Amino acid sequence: MSNTVEFDADLIRRYAGSGPRYTSYPTAMEFSSAVGEQDHIEWVKESNRSRRPLSLYVHIPFCAHVCYYCACNKIVTADRSRAQPYLDSLYHEIQLQASLVDPERVVEQLHWGGGTPTFLSEQQMRDLMRVLGENFNLHEDDGGEYSIEIDPRELREDTLPMLRDIGFNRVSFGVQDFDPQVQAAVHRVQTDEQTLGALYQAREQGFRSINIDLMYGLPLQTLDSFSDTLDKVVEARPDRLSVFNYAHLPERFKPQRRINRDDLPSADEKLAILALTIDKLGVAGYQYIGMDHFSLMDDELAEAQRTGTLHRNFQGYSTHSDSDLIAMGVSAISAMPGGFSQNCVTVEDYVNALKESHLPVVRGVALCDDDRVRGEVIQQLICNHTLDTRHIETEYGINFSDYFKSELERLAPMVQDRLIRIGDHRLDVTAKGRLLIRNLCMVFDRYRVEKEESFSKLV
């Protein structure tokens, strides 16, 4: 399949709507309290028997500043002393989780997210990595994919050298926009020197992959102003870019109520910004991975897509398609062959559960056979933009045409619009269809067929 993407504004307008981002299937909307601690324990034991590679996620919820666009589970505070009591509970969870895991299993992937992990002091970050290493089998040869999310405003002089020293080899910098007016409108003011200085220092320290997060659709953004932002990014040349579509949902996310709706760019201007982004990054040598993600052509992410081994999980796209995920910290979501399990979403509940030496799992979803086959179809489409139906038939013991008869019928208008091609034993997403991949995936999502929910816009 070609890795090109074709921008068709009329088609995008016609298919405009809302839908899941498919970081999991079923999505978190299907999680319920029917899943609890014991389910998680059994699923980890099952994962041990599979001998699959292991991934870890650690959630640090604290931020020193509130960004008005943010929809993450976070605690905004200037009180740094709140971090240590949380870490003490987190260390307890790490010990409990690790006690379930076969100690021979090597952690191939590690990610710290939030919030702002660099809210912690250098010593606290060293201690957290030490506790992880004492309880899990971490790589000691820099061979794993160990990443951390960073707010450039939260970096001290020794932060990046320390992070490299304790084993991180990938960083992701939150930027959103370089324009000072846009930054002020979303309460995230950071200078070019802060952002680019952090990127160049990370490169000097030998981090293997550097990602920058941008966001389009923010208040006061224009085509010209975002073009200037893209020019600065291209010149800095990070390995990867995430260019997210801002979803204005103030009824769900309280900080967004501080954004003046009248300052938001129109739908047509947002589309123009997206078209410009795809064009500029393509000319600069970036491959469109999908779902707002780009990478340089020689990056591991691009190579994984070309070889059909790309995966998508709660942290976005990944090269580790066969890893099981244990997630720790408030609101963190684990993913095992048996299902998904999520920790409680408030620090108070999290701490109280661990005081009783209970894993803080409060909800999730157990996977049935139908979930697994549909999840695989969605993974293949969203990651590799092609699907070998014979593989699905062999892997899951079904006849694809019979099992998905109604879905194939619902795809007919999308075939006519040349978003997808249906051939003998395969489905191929076209260059036009890549920007509307969520629409295509929703056809195979039986939960979306059955109910309507409020999601972010598809584009």
Side-chain angles (χ1 to χ4, degrees):
M1 284 294 293
S2 169
N3 289 313
T4 60
V5 57
E6 184 177 340
F7 186 90
D8 188 320
D10 290 336
L11 270 179
I12 292 172
R13 290 189 190 96
R14 190 170 358 133
Y15 282 93
S18 61
R21 300 191 65 82
Y22 291 112
T23 50
S24 70
Y25 182 85
T27 68
M29 298 296 292
E30 309 311 320
F31 291 7
S32 78
S33 59
V35 165
E37 178 184 18
Q38 195 56 44
D39 298 289
H40 176 85
I41 291 171
E42 293 302 320
W43 292 342
V44 176
K45 290 179 180 178
E46 177 188 349
S47 173
N48 285 334
R49 291 190 292 270
S50 75
R51 311 296 300 174
R52 286 159 55 90
L54 186 65
S55 293
L56 300 181
Y57 172 74
V58 179
H59 189 79
I60 307 298
F62 302 104
C63 290
H65 317 277
V66 59
C67 302
Y68 296 162
Y69 56 80
C70 186
C72 298
N73 183 37
K74 63 196 175 297
I75 297 169
V76 180
T77 179
D79 184 1
R80 306 278 171 165
S81 69
R82 295 182 65 179
Q84 192 57 51
Y86 176 78
L87 286 173
D88 292 338
S89 295
L90 179 61
Y91 295 160
H92 194 181
E93 186 191 3
I94 289 170
Q95 292 165 352
L96 292 175
Q97 294 277 15
S99 70
L100 304 173
V101 176
D102 181 341
E104 296 299 315
R105 298 180 72 183
V106 178
V107 176
E108 298 294 345
Q109 188 178 48
L110 169 67
H111 186 82
W112 292 7
T116 305
T118 45
F119 179 92
L120 305 178
S121 70
E122 276 73 18
Q123 188 58 53
Q124 286 171 329
M125 287 186 275
R126 281 190 180 276
D127 290 342
L128 176 53
M129 187 65 88
R130 174 182 54 78
V131 172
L132 286 167
E134 289 171 351
N135 288 275
F136 290 97
N137 189 3
L138 300 184
H139 272 280
E140 297 181 357
D141 60 357
D142 207 33
E145 186 179 292
Y146 292 0
S147 60
I148 182 170
E149 298 170 12
I150 291 177
D151 181 342
R153 300 170 299 173
E154 288 293 303
L155 288 179
R156 281 78 65 182
E157 182 178 355
D158 296 329
T159 305
L160 283 170
M162 179 275 303
L163 291 173
R164 190 70 185 95
D165 182 57
I166 65 175
F168 286 105
N169 49 39
R170 299 165 186 274
V171 287
S172 179
F173 294 118
V175 178
Q176 318 317 330
D177 197 302
F178 278 96
D179 186 89
Q181 286 187 301
V182 177
Q183 291 180 357
V186 297
H187 201 244
R188 189 190 178 107
V189 176
Q190 62 192 64
T191 65
D192 291 8
E193 290 75 20
Q194 284 176 308
T195 300
L196 298 176
L199 186 150
Y200 294 137
Q201 187 187 15
R203 193 166 283 153
E204 290 169 1
Q205 291 297 320
F207 285 89
R208 295 207 305 264
S209 181
I210 299 171
N211 178 80
I212 279 184
D213 287 344
L214 299 178
M215 188 172 287
Y216 69 98
L218 293 175
L220 304 183
Q221 268 181 350
T222 67
L223 190 63
D224 288 341
S225 73
F226 203 72
S227 179
D228 291 340
T229 287
L230 291 170
D231 288 341
K232 292 178 181 180
V233 169
V234 166
E235 183 177 358
R237 207 159 180 79
D239 303 279
R240 301 176 185 179
L241 281 163
S242 303
V243 190
F244 296 109
N245 170 24
Y246 170 62
H248 191 59
L249 299 169
E251 65 281 0
R252 289 179 56 189
F253 306 113
K254 188 178 294 185
Q256 295 185 359
R257 297 171 193 172
R258 304 186 194 184
I259 288 178
N260 183 355
R261 188 183 292 270
D262 293 337
D263 288 339
L264 297 175
S266 67
D268 284 347
E269 185 146 35
K270 280 184 73 174
L271 281 180
I273 291 172
L274 176 59
L276 176 74
T277 300
I278 293 169
D279 181 59
K280 277 205 168 192
L281 293 181
V283 169
Y286 287 88
Q287 178 174 314
Y288 179 73
I289 300 298
M291 295 288 289
D292 311 320
H293 285 67
F294 301 79
S295 77
L296 291 173
M297 298 292 188
D298 58 355
D299 185 83
E300 292 173 355
L301 212 60
E303 179 61 24
Q305 187 169 69
R306 287 192 291 269
T307 58
T309 58
L310 192 65
H311 181 64
R312 185 166 173 81
N313 59 24
F314 295 104
Q315 284 75 60
Y317 286 102
S318 165
T319 59
H320 289 269
S321 61
D322 56 350
S323 293
D324 294 337
L325 172 67
I326 292 179
M328 293 162 287
V330 64
S331 77
I333 303 175
S334 298
M336 297 285 154
F340 302 107
S341 51
Q342 184 174 23
N343 286 350
C344 46
V345 298
T346 69
V347 170
E348 182 181 8
D349 289 342
Y350 178 78
V351 170
N352 287 337
L354 288 160
K355 281 180 180 177
E356 302 297 324
S357 290
H358 283 294
L359 290 173
V361 174
V362 294
R363 68 180 199 138
V365 61
L367 297 181
C368 65
D369 289 342
D370 182 69
D371 292 332
R372 292 187 177 93
V373 64
R374 291 176 183 274
E376 179 67 13
V377 168
I378 288 171
Q379 271 282 336
Q380 292 300 318
L381 291 175
I382 213 164
C383 291
N384 303 314
H385 301 108
T386 186
L387 177 70
D388 182 345
T389 60
R390 287 173 297 188
H391 167 75
I392 299 296
E393 290 177 334
T394 302
E395 187 74 14
Y396 296 96
I398 64 169
N399 180 288
F400 191 91
S401 297
D402 291 341
Y403 196 93
F404 291 111
K405 183 175 184 295
S406 61
E407 286 79 5
L408 292 172
E409 291 172 353
R410 287 199 297 275
L411 282 177
M414 299 181 180
V415 172
Q416 187 172 356
D417 286 330
R418 298 181 181 177
L419 302 183
I420 192 168
R421 289 191 297 269
I422 301 178
D424 292 337
H425 310 298
R426 63 185 297 121
L427 305 180
D428 291 320
V429 180
T430 67
K432 286 184 178 181
R434 297 188 72 185
L435 286 173
L436 294 165
I437 190 64
R438 290 161 76 184
N439 298 73
L440 294 167
C441 291
M442 285 171 65
V443 171
F444 293 94
D445 183 344
R446 70 179 177 90
Y447 300 100
R448 300 288 71 73
V449 174
E450 295 170 359
K451 63 180 80 169
E452 290 289 333
E453 276 113 7
S454 176
F455 292 98
S456 63
K457 292 293 184 181
L458 294 168
V459 177

